[in-house]
PDB file of all heavy atoms in Angstrom:
ATOM      1  N   LEU P   7       3.510   6.328  -5.295  1.00 75.00           N
ATOM      2  CA  LEU P   7       3.311   6.494  -6.824  1.00 75.00           C
ATOM      3  C   LEU P   7       2.274   7.613  -7.043  1.00 75.00           C
ATOM      4  O   LEU P   7       2.509   8.387  -7.916  1.00 75.00           O
ATOM      5  CB  LEU P   7       2.859   5.178  -7.333  1.00 75.00           C
ATOM      6  CG  LEU P   7       2.630   5.173  -8.855  1.00 75.00           C
ATOM      7  CD1 LEU P   7       3.824   5.507  -9.594  1.00 75.00           C
ATOM      8  CD2 LEU P   7       2.011   3.811  -9.288  1.00 75.00           C
ATOM      9  N   VAL P   8       1.212   7.566  -6.279  1.00 77.00           N
ATOM     10  CA  VAL P   8       0.218   8.567  -6.457  1.00 77.00           C
ATOM     11  C   VAL P   8       0.799  10.017  -6.205  1.00 77.00           C
ATOM     12  O   VAL P   8       0.486  10.915  -6.913  1.00 77.00           O
ATOM     13  CB  VAL P   8      -1.113   8.327  -5.561  1.00 77.00           C
ATOM     14  CG1 VAL P   8      -1.987   9.533  -5.510  1.00 77.00           C
ATOM     15  CG2 VAL P   8      -1.814   7.117  -6.100  1.00 77.00           C
ATOM     16  N   ILE P   9       1.572  10.129  -5.082  1.00 80.00           N
ATOM     17  CA  ILE P   9       2.069  11.439  -4.746  1.00 80.00           C
ATOM     18  C   ILE P   9       3.173  11.782  -5.822  1.00 80.00           C
ATOM     19  O   ILE P   9       3.067  13.048  -6.244  1.00 80.00           O
ATOM     20  CB  ILE P   9       2.876  11.340  -3.363  1.00 80.00           C
ATOM     21  CG1 ILE P   9       1.812  11.319  -2.328  1.00 80.00           C
ATOM     22  CG2 ILE P   9       3.717  12.591  -3.190  1.00 80.00           C
ATOM     23  CD1 ILE P   9       2.376  10.890  -0.937  1.00 80.00           C
ATOM     24  N   LEU P  10       3.995  10.987  -6.242  1.00 75.00           N
ATOM     25  CA  LEU P  10       4.932  11.179  -7.333  1.00 75.00           C
ATOM     26  C   LEU P  10       4.306  11.690  -8.593  1.00 75.00           C
ATOM     27  O   LEU P  10       4.668  12.633  -9.236  1.00 75.00           O
ATOM     28  CB  LEU P  10       5.842  10.006  -7.522  1.00 75.00           C
ATOM     29  CG  LEU P  10       7.097  10.193  -8.378  1.00 75.00           C
ATOM     30  CD1 LEU P  10       7.928  11.282  -7.848  1.00 75.00           C
ATOM     31  CD2 LEU P  10       7.889   8.882  -8.618  1.00 75.00           C
ATOM     32  N   THR P  11       3.229  10.869  -9.062  1.00 73.00           N
ATOM     33  CA  THR P  11       2.424  11.335 -10.230  1.00 73.00           C
ATOM     34  C   THR P  11       1.822  12.726 -10.100  1.00 73.00           C
ATOM     35  O   THR P  11       1.891  13.428 -11.008  1.00 73.00           O
ATOM     36  CB  THR P  11       1.372  10.202 -10.517  1.00 73.00           C
ATOM     37  OG1 THR P  11       2.026   8.908 -10.644  1.00 73.00           O
ATOM     38  CG2 THR P  11       0.508  10.503 -11.637  1.00 73.00           C
ATOM     39  N   GLY P  12       1.324  12.973  -8.928  1.00 73.00           N
ATOM     40  CA  GLY P  12       0.722  14.171  -8.654  1.00 73.00           C
ATOM     41  C   GLY P  12       1.780  15.355  -8.767  1.00 73.00           C
ATOM     42  O   GLY P  12       1.578  16.458  -9.344  1.00 73.00           O
ATOM     43  N   LEU P  13       2.867  15.144  -8.225  1.00 75.00           N
ATOM     44  CA  LEU P  13       4.018  16.101  -8.268  1.00 75.00           C
ATOM     45  C   LEU P  13       4.490  16.363  -9.830  1.00 75.00           C
ATOM     46  O   LEU P  13       4.642  17.550 -10.207  1.00 75.00           O
ATOM     47  CB  LEU P  13       5.317  15.606  -7.498  1.00 75.00           C
ATOM     48  CG  LEU P  13       5.065  15.706  -6.045  1.00 75.00           C
ATOM     49  CD1 LEU P  13       6.287  15.151  -5.269  1.00 75.00           C
ATOM     50  CD2 LEU P  13       4.916  17.140  -5.540  1.00 75.00           C
ATOM     51  N   PHE P  14       4.611  15.263 -10.568  1.00 71.00           N
ATOM     52  CA  PHE P  14       4.967  15.428 -11.995  1.00 71.00           C
ATOM     53  C   PHE P  14       3.851  16.121 -12.697  1.00 71.00           C
ATOM     54  O   PHE P  14       4.103  17.014 -13.549  1.00 71.00           O
ATOM     55  CB  PHE P  14       5.266  14.080 -12.562  1.00 71.00           C
ATOM     56  CG  PHE P  14       6.679  13.605 -12.362  1.00 71.00           C
ATOM     57  CD1 PHE P  14       6.847  12.385 -11.796  1.00 71.00           C
ATOM     58  CD2 PHE P  14       7.734  14.281 -12.747  1.00 71.00           C
ATOM     59  CE1 PHE P  14       8.124  11.924 -11.557  1.00 71.00           C
ATOM     60  CE2 PHE P  14       9.067  13.838 -12.604  1.00 71.00           C
ATOM     61  CZ  PHE P  14       9.182  12.669 -11.976  1.00 71.00           C
ATOM     62  N   ALA P  15       2.572  15.878 -12.447  1.00 71.00           N
ATOM     63  CA  ALA P  15       1.512  16.492 -13.185  1.00 71.00           C
ATOM     64  C   ALA P  15       1.503  18.019 -12.775  1.00 71.00           C
ATOM     65  O   ALA P  15       1.312  18.925 -13.625  1.00 71.00           O
ATOM     66  CB  ALA P  15       0.141  15.896 -12.774  1.00 71.00           C
ATOM     67  N   ALA P  16       1.678  18.381 -11.507  1.00 75.00           N
ATOM     68  CA  ALA P  16       1.752  19.777 -10.999  1.00 75.00           C
ATOM     69  C   ALA P  16       2.824  20.475 -11.732  1.00 75.00           C
ATOM     70  O   ALA P  16       2.733  21.588 -12.191  1.00 75.00           O
ATOM     71  CB  ALA P  16       1.841  19.822  -9.578  1.00 75.00           C
ATOM     72  N   ALA P  17       4.052  19.889 -11.819  1.00 74.00           N
ATOM     73  CA  ALA P  17       5.243  20.539 -12.432  1.00 74.00           C
ATOM     74  C   ALA P  17       4.948  20.684 -13.912  1.00 74.00           C
ATOM     75  O   ALA P  17       5.298  21.790 -14.505  1.00 74.00           O
ATOM     76  CB  ALA P  17       6.524  19.648 -12.264  1.00 74.00           C
ATOM     77  N   HIS P  18       4.320  19.648 -14.573  1.00 70.00           N
ATOM     78  CA  HIS P  18       4.031  19.837 -16.037  1.00 70.00           C
ATOM     79  C   HIS P  18       3.083  20.975 -16.201  1.00 70.00           C
ATOM     80  O   HIS P  18       3.225  21.782 -17.194  1.00 70.00           O
ATOM     81  CB  HIS P  18       3.509  18.576 -16.541  1.00 70.00           C
ATOM     82  CG  HIS P  18       3.386  18.646 -18.045  1.00 70.00           C
ATOM     83  ND1 HIS P  18       2.038  18.955 -18.574  1.00 70.00           N
ATOM     84  CD2 HIS P  18       4.171  18.419 -19.102  1.00 70.00           C
ATOM     85  CE1 HIS P  18       2.210  19.055 -19.917  1.00 70.00           C
ATOM     86  NE2 HIS P  18       3.423  18.561 -20.239  1.00 70.00           N
ATOM     87  N   ASN P  19       2.038  21.000 -15.397  1.00 75.00           N
ATOM     88  CA  ASN P  19       1.050  22.141 -15.567  1.00 75.00           C
ATOM     89  C   ASN P  19       1.621  23.497 -15.262  1.00 75.00           C
ATOM     90  O   ASN P  19       1.162  24.513 -15.887  1.00 75.00           O
ATOM     91  CB  ASN P  19      -0.158  21.845 -14.529  1.00 75.00           C
ATOM     92  CG  ASN P  19      -0.981  20.798 -15.050  1.00 75.00           C
ATOM     93  OD1 ASN P  19      -1.039  20.370 -16.208  1.00 75.00           O
ATOM     94  ND2 ASN P  19      -1.739  20.191 -14.135  1.00 75.00           N
ATOM     95  N   ALA P  20       2.751  23.568 -14.473  1.00 81.00           N
ATOM     96  CA  ALA P  20       3.410  24.813 -14.227  1.00 81.00           C
ATOM     97  C   ALA P  20       4.450  25.172 -15.315  1.00 81.00           C
ATOM     98  O   ALA P  20       5.065  26.148 -15.365  1.00 81.00           O
ATOM     99  CB  ALA P  20       4.185  24.685 -12.954  1.00 81.00           C
ATOM    100  N   GLY P  21       4.481  24.231 -16.363  1.00 81.00           N
ATOM    101  CA  GLY P  21       5.373  24.558 -17.555  1.00 81.00           C
ATOM    102  C   GLY P  21       6.687  23.850 -17.515  1.00 81.00           C
ATOM    103  O   GLY P  21       7.534  24.130 -18.303  1.00 81.00           O
ATOM    104  N   TYR P  22       6.949  23.082 -16.550  1.00 83.00           N
ATOM    105  CA  TYR P  22       8.314  22.425 -16.412  1.00 83.00           C
ATOM    106  C   TYR P  22       8.340  21.117 -17.271  1.00 83.00           C
ATOM    107  O   TYR P  22       7.403  20.418 -17.303  1.00 83.00           O
ATOM    108  CB  TYR P  22       8.653  22.166 -14.989  1.00 83.00           C
ATOM    109  CG  TYR P  22       8.982  23.403 -14.219  1.00 83.00           C
ATOM    110  CD1 TYR P  22       7.910  24.003 -13.489  1.00 83.00           C
ATOM    111  CD2 TYR P  22      10.197  23.932 -14.202  1.00 83.00           C
ATOM    112  CE1 TYR P  22       8.193  25.152 -12.729  1.00 83.00           C
ATOM    113  CE2 TYR P  22      10.451  25.106 -13.462  1.00 83.00           C
ATOM    114  CZ  TYR P  22       9.462  25.684 -12.823  1.00 83.00           C
ATOM    115  OH  TYR P  22       9.641  26.821 -12.068  1.00 83.00           O
ATOM    116  N   ARG P  23       9.495  20.944 -17.896  1.00 81.00           N
ATOM    117  CA  ARG P  23       9.636  19.796 -18.753  1.00 81.00           C
ATOM    118  C   ARG P  23      11.030  19.183 -18.367  1.00 81.00           C
ATOM    119  O   ARG P  23      11.930  19.821 -18.214  1.00 81.00           O
ATOM    120  CB  ARG P  23       9.703  20.078 -20.172  1.00 81.00           C
ATOM    121  CG  ARG P  23       8.403  20.826 -20.722  1.00 81.00           C
ATOM    122  CD  ARG P  23       7.176  19.895 -20.613  1.00 81.00           C
ATOM    123  NE  ARG P  23       6.010  20.639 -21.177  1.00 81.00           N
ATOM    124  CZ  ARG P  23       5.161  21.272 -20.486  1.00 81.00           C
ATOM    125  NH1 ARG P  23       5.264  21.398 -19.280  1.00 81.00           N
ATOM    126  NH2 ARG P  23       4.064  21.845 -21.030  1.00 81.00           N
ATOM    127  N   ILE P  24      11.078  17.844 -18.407  1.00 81.00           N
ATOM    128  CA  ILE P  24      12.402  17.104 -18.132  1.00 81.00           C
ATOM    129  C   ILE P  24      12.836  16.559 -19.455  1.00 81.00           C
ATOM    130  O   ILE P  24      12.042  15.777 -20.128  1.00 81.00           O
ATOM    131  CB  ILE P  24      12.140  16.022 -17.127  1.00 81.00           C
ATOM    132  CG1 ILE P  24      11.763  16.666 -15.733  1.00 81.00           C
ATOM    133  CG2 ILE P  24      13.396  15.256 -16.926  1.00 81.00           C
ATOM    134  CD1 ILE P  24      11.400  15.671 -14.654  1.00 81.00           C
ATOM    135  N   ASN P  25      13.997  16.884 -19.878  1.00 81.00           N
ATOM    136  CA  ASN P  25      14.535  16.391 -21.114  1.00 81.00           C
ATOM    137  C   ASN P  25      15.440  15.226 -20.762  1.00 81.00           C
ATOM    138  O   ASN P  25      16.426  15.421 -20.060  1.00 81.00           O
ATOM    139  CB  ASN P  25      15.269  17.393 -21.915  1.00 81.00           C
ATOM    140  CG  ASN P  25      15.877  16.787 -23.081  1.00 81.00           C
ATOM    141  OD1 ASN P  25      15.194  16.123 -23.978  1.00 81.00           O
ATOM    142  ND2 ASN P  25      17.061  16.989 -23.390  1.00 81.00           N
ATOM    143  N   THR P  26      15.124  13.967 -21.271  1.00 80.00           N
ATOM    144  CA  THR P  26      15.996  12.852 -21.092  1.00 80.00           C
ATOM    145  C   THR P  26      16.445  12.358 -22.447  1.00 80.00           C
ATOM    146  O   THR P  26      17.038  11.211 -22.486  1.00 80.00           O
ATOM    147  CB  THR P  26      15.239  11.669 -20.394  1.00 80.00           C
ATOM    148  OG1 THR P  26      14.042  11.365 -21.118  1.00 80.00           O
ATOM    149  CG2 THR P  26      14.729  12.032 -18.975  1.00 80.00           C
ATOM    150  N   THR P  27      16.249  13.065 -23.510  1.00 81.00           N
ATOM    151  CA  THR P  27      16.778  12.676 -24.840  1.00 81.00           C
ATOM    152  C   THR P  27      18.143  13.207 -25.090  1.00 81.00           C
ATOM    153  O   THR P  27      18.604  14.151 -24.260  1.00 81.00           O
ATOM    154  CB  THR P  27      15.854  13.207 -25.949  1.00 81.00           C
ATOM    155  OG1 THR P  27      16.016  14.606 -26.072  1.00 81.00           O
ATOM    156  CG2 THR P  27      14.404  12.832 -25.635  1.00 81.00           C
ATOM    157  N   ARG P  28      18.868  12.898 -26.155  1.00 82.00           N
ATOM    158  CA  ARG P  28      20.155  13.315 -26.492  1.00 82.00           C
ATOM    159  C   ARG P  28      20.097  14.544 -27.409  1.00 82.00           C
ATOM    160  O   ARG P  28      21.070  14.980 -27.869  1.00 82.00           O
ATOM    161  CB  ARG P  28      21.035  12.208 -27.122  1.00 82.00           C
ATOM    162  CG  ARG P  28      21.320  11.124 -26.122  1.00 82.00           C
ATOM    163  CD  ARG P  28      22.049  10.023 -26.643  1.00 82.00           C
ATOM    164  NE  ARG P  28      21.140   9.177 -27.443  1.00 82.00           N
ATOM    165  CZ  ARG P  28      21.430   8.312 -28.445  1.00 82.00           C
ATOM    166  NH1 ARG P  28      22.703   8.196 -28.726  1.00 82.00           N
ATOM    167  NH2 ARG P  28      20.507   7.626 -29.035  1.00 82.00           N
ATOM    168  N   SER P  29      18.882  14.957 -27.761  1.00 83.00           N
ATOM    169  CA  SER P  29      18.802  16.196 -28.618  1.00 83.00           C
ATOM    170  C   SER P  29      19.312  17.518 -28.033  1.00 83.00           C
ATOM    171  O   SER P  29      19.730  18.339 -28.776  1.00 83.00           O
ATOM    172  CB  SER P  29      17.272  16.413 -29.058  1.00 83.00           C
ATOM    173  OG  SER P  29      16.855  15.368 -29.844  1.00 83.00           O
ATOM    174  N   LEU P  30      19.205  17.606 -26.766  1.00 87.00           N
ATOM    175  CA  LEU P  30      19.649  18.625 -25.960  1.00 87.00           C
ATOM    176  C   LEU P  30      20.310  18.174 -24.620  1.00 87.00           C
ATOM    177  O   LEU P  30      20.049  17.025 -24.332  1.00 87.00           O
ATOM    178  CB  LEU P  30      18.551  19.652 -25.618  1.00 87.00           C
ATOM    179  CG  LEU P  30      18.029  20.518 -26.820  1.00 87.00           C
ATOM    180  CD1 LEU P  30      16.810  21.166 -26.492  1.00 87.00           C
ATOM    181  CD2 LEU P  30      19.100  21.535 -27.315  1.00 87.00           C
ATOM    182  N   PRO P  31      20.966  18.979 -23.898  1.00 90.00           N
ATOM    183  CA  PRO P  31      21.509  18.533 -22.589  1.00 90.00           C
ATOM    184  C   PRO P  31      20.272  18.035 -21.719  1.00 90.00           C
ATOM    185  O   PRO P  31      19.234  18.549 -21.710  1.00 90.00           O
ATOM    186  CB  PRO P  31      22.133  19.681 -21.999  1.00 90.00           C
ATOM    187  CG  PRO P  31      22.511  20.551 -23.168  1.00 90.00           C
ATOM    188  CD  PRO P  31      21.412  20.427 -24.138  1.00 90.00           C
ATOM    189  N   PHE P  32      20.585  16.934 -20.985  1.00 90.00           N
ATOM    190  CA  PHE P  32      19.643  16.360 -20.017  1.00 90.00           C
ATOM    191  C   PHE P  32      19.360  17.515 -18.995  1.00 90.00           C
ATOM    192  O   PHE P  32      20.225  18.238 -18.678  1.00 90.00           O
ATOM    193  CB  PHE P  32      20.210  15.169 -19.255  1.00 90.00           C
ATOM    194  CG  PHE P  32      20.458  13.966 -20.061  1.00 90.00           C
ATOM    195  CD1 PHE P  32      21.667  13.537 -20.348  1.00 90.00           C
ATOM    196  CD2 PHE P  32      19.321  13.410 -20.631  1.00 90.00           C
ATOM    197  CE1 PHE P  32      21.914  12.317 -21.200  1.00 90.00           C
ATOM    198  CE2 PHE P  32      19.575  12.240 -21.529  1.00 90.00           C
ATOM    199  CZ  PHE P  32      20.936  11.808 -21.836  1.00 90.00           C
ATOM    200  N   GLY P  33      18.094  17.525 -18.533  1.00 90.00           N
ATOM    201  CA  GLY P  33      17.803  18.550 -17.522  1.00 90.00           C
ATOM    202  C   GLY P  33      16.430  18.926 -17.473  1.00 90.00           C
ATOM    203  O   GLY P  33      15.587  18.325 -18.057  1.00 90.00           O
ATOM    204  N   VAL P  34      16.133  20.026 -16.737  1.00 90.00           N
ATOM    205  CA  VAL P  34      14.858  20.648 -16.556  1.00 90.00           C
ATOM    206  C   VAL P  34      14.798  21.896 -17.313  1.00 90.00           C
ATOM    207  O   VAL P  34      15.658  22.743 -17.294  1.00 90.00           O
ATOM    208  CB  VAL P  34      14.568  20.868 -15.051  1.00 90.00           C
ATOM    209  CG1 VAL P  34      13.231  21.607 -14.836  1.00 90.00           C
ATOM    210  CG2 VAL P  34      14.716  19.531 -14.229  1.00 90.00           C
ATOM    211  N   TYR P  35      13.624  22.007 -18.078  1.00 92.00           N
ATOM    212  CA  TYR P  35      13.412  23.177 -18.881  1.00 92.00           C
ATOM    213  C   TYR P  35      12.088  23.631 -18.581  1.00 92.00           C
ATOM    214  O   TYR P  35      11.241  23.022 -17.949  1.00 92.00           O
ATOM    215  CB  TYR P  35      13.450  22.737 -20.420  1.00 92.00           C
ATOM    216  CG  TYR P  35      14.741  22.334 -20.941  1.00 92.00           C
ATOM    217  CD1 TYR P  35      15.330  21.057 -20.614  1.00 92.00           C
ATOM    218  CD2 TYR P  35      15.507  23.220 -21.598  1.00 92.00           C
ATOM    219  CE1 TYR P  35      16.417  20.685 -21.107  1.00 92.00           C
ATOM    220  CE2 TYR P  35      16.735  22.733 -22.128  1.00 92.00           C
ATOM    221  CZ  TYR P  35      17.280  21.496 -21.840  1.00 92.00           C
ATOM    222  OH  TYR P  35      18.476  21.143 -22.225  1.00 92.00           O
ATOM    223  N   LYS P  36      11.686  24.962 -18.887  1.00 93.00           N
ATOM    224  CA  LYS P  36      10.463  25.535 -18.484  1.00 93.00           C
ATOM    225  C   LYS P  36       9.896  26.263 -19.754  1.00 93.00           C
ATOM    226  O   LYS P  36      10.551  27.043 -20.394  1.00 93.00           O
ATOM    227  CB  LYS P  36      10.542  26.505 -17.418  1.00 93.00           C
ATOM    228  CG  LYS P  36       9.298  27.103 -16.866  1.00 93.00           C
ATOM    229  CD  LYS P  36       9.394  27.875 -15.625  1.00 93.00           C
ATOM    230  CE  LYS P  36       8.092  28.442 -15.016  1.00 93.00           C
ATOM    231  NZ  LYS P  36       6.953  28.468 -15.785  1.00 93.00           N
ATOM    232  N   THR P  37       8.592  26.027 -19.996  1.00 92.00           N
ATOM    233  CA  THR P  37       7.938  26.732 -21.112  1.00 92.00           C
ATOM    234  C   THR P  37       7.627  28.151 -20.532  1.00 92.00           C
ATOM    235  O   THR P  37       7.378  28.365 -19.328  1.00 92.00           O
ATOM    236  CB  THR P  37       6.696  26.148 -21.610  1.00 92.00           C
ATOM    237  OG1 THR P  37       5.841  26.040 -20.497  1.00 92.00           O
ATOM    238  CG2 THR P  37       7.016  24.865 -22.180  1.00 92.00           C
TER     239      THR P  37
END
Side-chain angles (χ1 to χ4, degrees):
L7 179 64
V8 169
I9 290 170
L10 188 59
T11 302
L13 288 173
F14 277 120
H18 185 269
N19 288 337
Y22 290 92
R23 305 290 184 267
I24 298 173
N25 179 50
T26 58
T27 71
R28 290 177 285 157
S29 291
L30 287 167
F32 293 115
V34 178
Y35 294 78
K36 185 175 186 339
T37 59

